Amino acid sequence: MGKIDVHNLWRGLIMGGVETIPGVSSGTIAVVLGIYERLIAAINGLSTREWKQSLAFLVPLVAGIFIAVFSSAQVLSWLLDYYPNQLSFFFLGLIIGIVPFLLKKIEFKRTFSGIHYFFLLLSLLLIALFGIMQDPVQTSILGSMSASDYIAIFFLGWIASSAMILPGLSGSFILLVFGYYETIIDALKLVHFPVLLTLIAGIGIGVLITSKIVHFFLHRFPVGTYAVVTGMVLGSVFVIYQGMPADIGGLIASLFVLVIGFCVAFLLGKVEHKQ
């Protein structure tokens, strides 16, 4: 195996920590951290002679994701219950802070033509439309699971994994749209192995397939792909936004964490995108 990238452990902790929040894509966070292309290449590298180097990149990242997903479910559930606005504004700050780095990376002033702006706008509108579809009122069915529910969770894991790789769409959001979000959160809290293993199996297969598609477009059509990615990242603003707090204290706190999120993304962008 190649040299382990220990920095990927904390990157994985961040990616896994946000994956349980509907609307926040781990793909978006990978873009924020500057590892999106390397992540896609590493997943594809598992089926090549460079599989050892890919494992060296992915093992600490996946370990961090799993640790964060299982350890943060209760904390994030509490934050979503009591501080939904502040949490959403923090991630809004992250997104706003990283967009300049995305555009600079692809040198959009020189490379973008009319078709690229069209793809950017189209992907932005598509993600925003998904945001309108959210239904936050759900209940868990963990205690009354049927065979059809396990089949549904497997295929939703497959679909959700695609969303996890594509910036702007989160796996949790897909589960939310189809009514299984609360069930999966309960399974994480209670470590319900049958449900979790079914979900992981679907995610594993989906990640391998979707990453190959994204890898192809990144290499054949890099400018167009980044136009779509940028649109998805911008569109996730409409998915994450929970509205303005009613009280002045909540508004001040939300604006404060918005600035914090922007600063975090800006600093991460300066450090990570130089590597």
Side-chain angles (χ1 to χ4, degrees):
M1 186 182 293
K3 185 179 179 182
I4 296 290
D5 188 345
V6 293
H7 295 293
N8 274 0
L9 181 61
W10 69 262
R11 291 167 180 152
L13 289 171
I14 297 173
M15 290 174 64
V18 304
E19 194 50 54
T20 53
I21 303 174
V24 184
S25 166
S26 55
T28 302
I29 300 302
V31 173
V32 171
L33 296 174
I35 61 169
Y36 185 68
E37 287 189 50
R38 283 185 285 164
L39 172 62
I40 299 299
I43 295 172
N44 279 276
L46 291 174
S47 57
T48 70
R49 293 179 180 179
E50 306 296 323
W51 64 270
K52 290 184 178 180
Q53 286 81 354
S54 294
L55 275 181
F57 181 88
L58 290 171
V59 166
L61 191 72
V62 172
I65 289 173
F66 271 90
I67 292 170
V69 165
F70 282 97
S71 62
S72 66
Q74 302 250 14
V75 175
L76 290 173
S77 179
W78 179 79
L79 286 172
L80 284 167
D81 287 338
Y82 292 98
Y83 301 101
N85 294 104
Q86 288 73 33
L87 192 61
S88 70
F89 270 75
F90 175 76
F91 287 110
L92 288 174
L94 281 178
I95 290 168
I96 295 168
I98 201 57
V99 168
F101 287 98
L102 278 177
L103 295 174
K104 183 179 179 181
K105 181 180 179 67
I106 204 63
E107 298 179 338
F108 80 103
K109 290 183 179 180
R110 180 179 63 84
T111 59
F112 269 30
S113 62
I115 190 66
H116 298 120
Y117 287 107
F118 171 76
F119 282 134
L120 188 153
L121 181 61
L122 184 64
S123 59
L124 188 158
L125 292 175
L126 183 63
I127 298 300
L129 181 63
F130 273 104
I132 298 172
M133 293 170 56
Q134 289 189 82
D135 179 14
V137 181
Q138 294 189 16
T139 55
S140 172
I141 60 168
L142 192 62
S144 56
M145 295 282 292
S146 65
S148 61
D149 289 314
Y150 280 98
I151 294 172
I153 286 174
F154 173 81
F155 283 104
L156 283 175
W158 188 322
I159 298 170
S161 68
S162 302
M164 289 160 62
I165 289 176
L166 296 171
L169 279 177
S170 74
S172 295
F173 174 67
I174 297 298
L175 295 173
L176 185 68
V177 169
F178 287 94
Y180 282 90
Y181 177 71
E182 290 294 337
T183 301
I184 299 301
I185 290 295
D186 269 1
L188 286 169
K189 290 178 182 177
L190 302 173
V191 194
H192 192 285
F193 282 110
V195 169
L196 295 178
L197 290 176
T198 303
L199 182 68
I200 290 170
I203 289 173
I205 293 173
V207 163
L208 291 174
I209 294 174
T210 306
S211 65
K212 291 186 181 299
I213 297 172
V214 175
H215 187 259
F216 170 80
F217 280 100
L218 276 171
H219 279 76
R220 291 292 298 273
F221 311 102
V223 178
T225 303
Y226 263 90
V228 172
V229 167
T230 304
M232 286 181 162
V233 171
L234 286 170
S236 64
V237 167
F238 298 92
V239 179
I240 297 169
Y241 180 64
Q242 300 291 317
M244 300 295 288
D247 60 298
I248 188 66
L251 177 60
I252 293 172
S254 296
L255 293 176
F256 176 75
V257 295
L258 175 74
V259 173
I260 294 296
F262 178 87
C263 292
V264 168
F266 186 80
L267 292 173
L268 284 173
K270 287 185 74 68
V271 173
E272 296 286 350
H273 288 263
K274 286 181 180 179
Q275 295 184 17

